[in-house]
Amino acid sequence: MKKGLTESEIQTCLDQCIQIRKNAYAKYSGFSVGALVIDEAGREFAGVNVENASYGLTVCAERNAISAAVAGGMKRIRVLCALADTPVPVVPCGACRQVIAEFSDKDTILILANTKRDYKILSPEDLMPLPFALGSETAG
Ligand code: THU
């Protein structure tokens, strides 16, 4: 058991992300990313990075998976797995960290992985210690 997930559950997430990643639309960067979100009810939502000829319109895999999950009724991320072909497990960009923080709680489990199946388990706090929040929730 690693932070509430069994090794077999982690391996299943990696299998799924490896498959999901095949649908990435990364024709400009060539850098394909797959993401999987699992909600409190065990529902699963896939995301890939979707690039555009107007480069700035690109949306990362993590945010696309979260958007699909929100549209499907997810309130809180139970597990988010992100996977790319990187020497060490991929780390989400700053924009994705802020969006992950929006839908996470202290029990959320983040699995960062690569195609060699190396992985790291992190908490949202590990990834984004001081997310932006409005009003009284603002830490600073
Ligand atoms: N990308 C993701 O999808 N997730 C990340 O965590 C980092 C970057 C995408 C955006 C772009 O399509 C490509 O990877 C290269 O930056």
Side-chain angles (χ1 to χ4, degrees):
M1 280 287 225
K2 304 209 176 173
K3 286 199 179 176
L5 284 180
T6 64
E7 182 60 31
S8 148
E9 286 171 322
I10 293 167
Q11 293 301 323
T12 301
C13 287
L14 300 187
D15 287 339
Q16 287 174 275
C17 265
I18 287 167
Q19 292 307 316
I20 291 165
R21 179 176 168 273
K22 292 179 180 167
N23 292 327
Y25 184 76
K27 68 185 278 190
Y28 302 102
S29 73
F31 187 81
S32 296
V33 185
L36 172 73
V37 166
I38 306 176
D39 74 2
E40 315 90 319
R43 292 177 299 182
E44 296 173 350
F45 302 92
V48 294
N49 51 329
V50 180
E51 299 188 345
N52 192 276
S54 178
Y55 296 166
L57 300 183
T58 292
V59 182
C60 295
E62 296 89 327
R63 274 177 290 148
N64 278 331
I66 291 169
S67 295
V70 171
M74 179 204 71
K75 304 295 179 222
R76 280 283 166 265
I77 300 170
R78 177 169 173 261
V79 178
L80 181 145
C81 182
L83 182 143
D85 185 14
T86 39
V88 293
V90 68
V91 288
C93 76
C96 287
R97 293 177 196 210
Q98 177 71 29
V99 174
I100 292 167
E102 182 78 25
F103 294 101
S104 294
D105 63 21
K106 63 175 179 36
D107 298 321
T108 296
I109 298 165
L110 307 174
I111 307 171
L112 309 182
N114 64 16
T115 50
K116 293 183 294 179
R117 307 181 77 93
D118 302 320
Y119 70 84
K120 275 186 196 165
I121 307 282
L122 269 68
S123 69
E125 168 97 29
D126 294 329
L127 195 63
M128 188 67 164
L130 206 56
F132 172 75
L134 289 170
S136 60
E137 295 170 56
T138 306

